[in-house]
Amino acid sequence: MSSSMRVAVIGNSPPMSYVDESGKLTGFNVEMAHALCATMKIRCNLLPTSLDKVVDAVSAGEMDFAVVSLLATPERRKKVLFSKPYYRSLSIWLSKPSIKPGSPRTTVAVVNGSVQAQHAENQGWKTKRVTNHREISTSLVAGDADATVVPMLTAVSLMEKPSLQALGLESTVLSDPLISGDVCISIHSGRPELREQIDTALD
């Protein structure tokens, strides 16, 4: 394994990628990144970053590719290349049963740089912006937010927290196609050969 790649992952987005109690970076996307690099026979340096910085970092060439559960939106496709999908995601609204999506005077916690944050802005919702998914549970428990919109797997992880179970939250699948769909790996736009490698490795 001679070549080395800089691979972006999110540092604080359980269960997809996060630092565990022993200080080890782990999670589904971290294991996916390791498996891809092993299959491509390249050395990879996994670099934790925040979601709002990922696309620009890959676009600027600071990262070779990113394994961070990005939906391949038209806006993002203008900046980076995308691999073939490696899973599909839905977006979930979490709140108390009395609070429906779009309810007036509702503050919605969203992660900066996410399609869910863009969706909330497009809907004109009042938002509580946070930098990672762990801060969402803090905002809900503290009452800084009444609801949240997150990817499905993040919603499952949040609902396992006893502090959130105590709030009696319920989940609603949001049907807007702009916040659901194919999750892909983002790749620097000048590296079409790397996209081919990644697609082959995914197969």
Side-chain angles (χ1 to χ4, degrees):
M1 294 190 180
S2 56
S3 50
S4 181
M5 296 270 176
R6 298 156 300 170
V7 183
V9 293
I10 302 300
N12 208 338
S13 182
M16 306 310 288
S17 53
Y18 60 99
V19 177
D20 67 16
E21 293 176 358
S22 69
K24 179 187 175 185
L25 190 62
T26 188
F28 176 80
N29 279 332
V30 171
E31 297 307 314
M32 173 63 75
H34 285 311
L36 280 173
C37 293
T39 302
M40 293 189 291
K41 295 182 169 57
I42 55 175
R43 281 198 309 272
C44 288
N45 185 18
L46 271 57
L47 302 170
T49 187
S50 58
L51 182 61
D52 59 331
K53 296 177 181 175
V54 167
V55 173
D56 287 340
V58 173
S59 177
E62 297 167 11
M63 306 284 181
D64 294 295
F65 64 97
V67 187
V68 298
S69 300
L70 284 183
L71 291 177
T73 64
E75 181 179 316
R76 289 169 174 168
R77 285 186 184 277
K78 293 176 184 177
K79 296 183 177 182
V80 296
L81 299 176
F82 279 102
S83 70
K84 59 176 57 177
Y86 65 106
Y87 73 93
R88 286 184 63 82
S89 181
L90 300 171
S91 285
I92 305 295
W93 168 279
L94 289 178
S95 69
K96 291 183 178 179
S98 59
I99 302 174
K100 304 302 180 187
S103 295
R105 296 179 297 282
T106 297
T107 299
V108 184
V110 289
V111 174
N112 276 331
S114 67
V115 293
Q116 291 82 14
Q118 185 62 54
H119 176 76
E121 185 177 306
N122 292 345
Q123 297 296 315
W125 295 343
K126 181 182 176 184
T127 59
K128 164 74 174 177
R129 297 279 185 139
V130 299
T131 58
N132 59 62
H133 288 111
R134 278 196 169 144
E135 291 179 11
I136 284 181
S137 58
T138 303
S139 297
L140 290 168
V141 171
D144 296 331
D146 309 297
T148 187
V149 181
V150 291
M152 176 178 58
L153 293 175
T154 300
V156 171
S157 178
L158 288 172
M159 292 296 281
E160 290 175 348
K161 291 178 173 288
S163 59
L164 290 187
Q165 290 175 354
L167 297 178
L169 304 182
E170 288 191 355
S171 60
T172 303
V173 177
L174 299 182
S175 59
D176 192 311
L178 295 179
I179 53 174
S180 300
D182 292 336
V183 173
C184 306
I185 292 160
S186 53
I187 304 148
H188 185 265
S189 59
R191 304 289 303 278
E193 81 290 345
L194 178 56
R195 176 169 63 180
E196 290 182 18
Q197 276 184 280
I198 289 173
D199 283 348
T200 299
L202 286 171
D203 287 340

